[in-house]
Amino acid sequence: MKDKPMTRPVLRIENLCKSFGATPVVRDVSFDVHPSEVIVIIGSSGTGKSTLLQCLNLLHRPTSGRIFLEDQEITASGMNEDTVRRQMGMVFQEFNLFNHLTVLGNVTVGMTKVLGMPAEDAEKKAMNELERVGMADHRHKYPAQLSGGQKQRVGIARALGMSPKVMLFDEPTSALDPELTGEVLTVMQKLAAEGMTMIIVSHEMGFAREAADRVIFMENGRIEEQGPPDRMFTHPESERTRKFLSIITTGNTDPPIGKAT
Amino acid sequence: MTPFVTMLQFLLPGLGVTVSVTLIALGLGGCIGALMAVFRVYGNPVVKGLAVSYSVVVRAVPVVVIIFILFFVISAFIDLSPFMSGAIALGFASGAYQTEIFRGAILSIPQGQMTAARGIGMSKAKAIRCIILPQAFRVAIPSLINEVTLVLKDSSLVFVIGVPELMRRAQYASASTMEPLLAFGTAACFYIVLTLVLSRLLETVEKRFAVQF
């Protein structure tokens, strides 16, 4: 495990709540994220993991609670959401690459149109990021010409291009064929090793075990349990965590159908 | 054959006028349509209401009526040539149809495109301009080709306010030669050729900018 000196948190979440109408989805979630920390959020579907993640960069506006990015309270009224979002990279389950732009265009568009970088500098930086995810050779292709894994790597490069303080991954491998998840996880693992601060909503337990500094188990919109992966996966304290992990790790959530003997 | 050639030569100056009126109308209609479509999809209730009323009212009024209103009413206040008021009236009418074309195109762009654009810190306006509209425009091209042919044909209506385009000249020729079939038949040929050329041009554009999803 990596050394984690006690530093000022990059992100501090205090009593975050999010409801859609009368339905509470995230309930009173608090945690700190330290520089270079890799946090994997796990839990069954519909427990508010993705909503929590999208609250962090204000794609969903929290109903109550506070979020600090470094020393700045980004949930404060009058805060410019766009300024907040350009400091956090987001990677989506469905990739959401810009279909009308090439791979290179996807990575540069934020730099030129949002950060106002000159086209040349943006291209240079974009090539660096594409190099990092192993997609530099495909820079002139359009999203439709890429496999899912390649699309997601471009999605990661696009987020990296903005030089984010923290990267948010919303189930980055869930839409991929099993044989394509590896290339994406490898890239993420590399980023983690390079010291990127990452928050990842994922069902990839193997990845969580290897790359995470901390695993957060969410249930019913709350943090049920959190801790280093070693402890979480071997000696979970909560009964619910144990149940969830046993379902996930046996790799089959369905009851066996007509047992063949 | 000679009367046909003579007729061609007589109508030819009208061709430029027809094409100009059509292009101005399409351009104006495109700007209005794109703006109104954005209002309808993303606007607050006020601008949305404005865009809906525009689209509903203008599509309910015959183009000729719009041409007359603009020519007689508006030109009482500002100095507009028949040519310009005709082109503007056609653009105003086409804008309503193009609003619907662009609205459909915008709605066909996956929601994730906007989310991703906002995710890298784009403002909503910038996301619409840089991400949504370029894709919507590509989706709209097939319907726009259809709109081009409609506007081209509607441009003949500005003859009612005396704009010397193809139709006006054909009518004039028909009256002076007493050969309506020749005059209007030649005009029809011009329209056919124009339509084919313009559609072909746009199909090239369509192929050039095709986006796969």
Side-chain angles (χ1 to χ4, degrees):
Chain A
M1 228 184 97
K2 284 176 276 179
D3 255 357
K4 287 286 172 266
M6 281 311 288
T7 41
R8 193 169 59 115
V10 183
L11 210 57
R12 155 165 272 171
I13 294 103
E14 287 181 357
N15 311 105
L16 186 80
C17 298
K18 174 66 185 176
S19 311
F20 291 108
T23 320
V25 178
V26 177
R27 309 165 191 236
D28 196 26
V29 167
S30 303
F31 63 98
D32 287 355
V33 184
H34 293 277
S36 299
E37 197 174 12
V38 176
I39 294 180
V40 175
I41 303 176
I42 59 173
S44 355
S45 323
T47 49
K49 305 177 306 270
S50 290
T51 307
L52 169 64
L53 202 69
Q54 303 212 345
C55 279
L56 296 186
N57 72 348
L58 306 181
L59 278 176
H60 287 312
R61 197 83 206 183
T63 312
S64 66
R66 302 198 295 175
I67 303 169
F68 294 87
L69 179 62
E70 294 180 328
D71 288 328
Q72 211 166 24
E73 190 197 334
I74 60 174
T75 39
S77 61
M79 193 67 204
N80 184 336
E81 297 175 0
D82 301 329
T83 327
V84 171
R85 290 198 201 105
R86 70 187 61 157
Q87 302 177 59
M88 295 194 224
M90 181 118 198
V91 176
F92 301 91
Q93 179 177 354
E94 301 293 341
F95 329 125
N96 296 347
L97 294 186
F98 303 132
N99 294 311
H100 64 305
L101 299 176
T102 59
V103 165
L104 189 62
N106 265 277
V107 186
T108 53
V109 71
M111 291 187 250
T112 53
K113 303 281 182 190
V114 178
L115 302 179
M117 275 168 76
E120 273 173 50
D121 300 359
E123 248 169 62
K124 207 175 288 171
K125 182 157 170 47
M127 283 311 291
N128 277 337
E129 307 303 353
L130 286 172
E131 213 80 67
R132 263 169 109 177
V133 300
M135 286 296 293
D137 292 344
H138 300 274
R139 63 186 174 280
H140 295 307
K141 288 191 181 165
Y142 283 88
Q145 298 165 292
L146 304 176
S147 74
Q150 292 174 324
K151 281 184 194 170
Q152 194 58 295
R153 287 190 278 152
V154 175
I156 294 173
R158 174 174 68 182
L160 288 174
M162 306 296 285
S163 308
K165 292 175 175 152
V166 52
M167 287 278 283
L168 311 174
F169 294 81
D170 190 2
E171 306 204 19
T173 55
S174 301
L176 295 176
D177 292 339
E179 76 268 25
L180 297 178
T181 57
E183 57 186 271
V184 173
L185 293 177
T186 308
V187 166
M188 289 168 63
Q189 221 143 10
K190 193 171 133 215
L191 286 181
E194 286 168 10
M196 177 59 76
T197 311
M198 296 159 65
I199 305 175
I200 302 147
V201 169
S202 180
H203 295 297
E204 301 286 342
M205 295 303 142
F207 174 81
R209 201 185 272 264
E210 274 177 48
D213 297 306
R214 184 156 36 127
V215 173
I216 293 179
F217 173 63
M218 274 184 78
E219 171 92 356
N220 229 342
R222 291 176 211 283
I223 295 182
E224 175 77 19
E225 187 176 355
Q226 57 177 311
D230 296 347
R231 187 177 65 68
M232 286 288 282
F233 287 119
T234 47
H235 312 291
E237 279 160 15
S238 145
E239 179 56 37
R240 286 177 173 175
T241 318
R242 211 176 347 241
K243 219 178 222 165
F244 173 76
L245 286 175
S246 81
I247 290 169
I248 282 282
T249 45
T250 52
N252 190 2
T253 53
D254 304 319
I257 309 161
K259 259 186 204 167
T261 43
Chain B
M1 198 62 208
T2 349
F4 179 63
V5 174
T6 319
M7 187 59 75
L8 273 181
Q9 283 170 339
F10 181 75
L11 293 187
L12 200 60
L15 181 72
V17 180
T18 291
V19 171
S20 314
V21 167
T22 305
L23 291 184
I24 294 174
L26 282 170
L28 180 66
C31 297
I32 297 177
L35 188 69
M36 290 295 160
V38 169
F39 281 179
R40 274 197 73 166
V41 180
Y42 299 106
N44 62 38
V46 179
V47 294
K48 196 177 279 186
L50 176 86
V52 172
S53 326
Y54 162 74
S55 155
V56 168
V57 170
V58 171
R59 282 186 299 149
V61 177
V63 179
V64 175
V65 178
I66 297 175
I67 292 171
F68 275 132
I69 289 178
L70 211 84
F71 183 59
F72 290 115
V73 182
I74 315 265
S75 63
F77 301 99
I78 39 173
D79 189 25
L80 270 181
S81 66
F83 172 83
M84 274 320 283
S85 46
I88 291 172
L90 281 175
F92 191 69
S94 169
Y97 294 92
Q98 295 198 43
T99 300
E100 300 305 314
I101 292 174
F102 281 119
R103 186 175 77 99
I106 289 173
L107 290 176
S108 78
I109 306 301
Q111 186 59 45
Q113 296 287 310
M114 178 56 100
T115 315
R118 301 306 303 274
I120 54 171
M122 281 192 185
S123 65
K124 198 169 176 183
K126 195 169 274 182
I128 293 171
R129 216 169 50 237
C130 302
I131 304 300
I132 305 296
L133 283 185
Q135 294 185 54
F137 174 70
R138 289 161 165 85
V139 174
I141 290 176
S143 314
L144 286 175
I145 293 178
N146 187 45
E147 180 65 12
V148 167
T149 62
L150 292 178
V151 172
L152 177 65
K153 287 183 290 177
D154 278 354
S155 76
S156 64
L157 294 171
V158 300
F159 91 96
V160 297
I161 52 172
V163 180
E165 40 69 73
L166 276 176
M167 179 62 190
R168 181 75 183 177
R169 292 187 78 88
Q171 193 197 25
Y172 185 76
S174 155
S176 57
T177 61
M178 294 301 202
E179 289 198 74
L181 184 61
L182 176 66
F184 292 117
T186 313
C189 291
F190 269 114
Y191 282 113
I192 290 169
V193 171
L194 265 182
T195 303
L196 289 179
V197 169
L198 276 177
S199 331
R200 185 54 57 84
L201 215 69
L202 271 161
E203 274 160 23
T204 319
V205 174
E206 182 184 0
K207 284 207 189 83
R208 166 73 184 73
F209 287 105
V211 181
Q212 299 132 324
F213 288 95

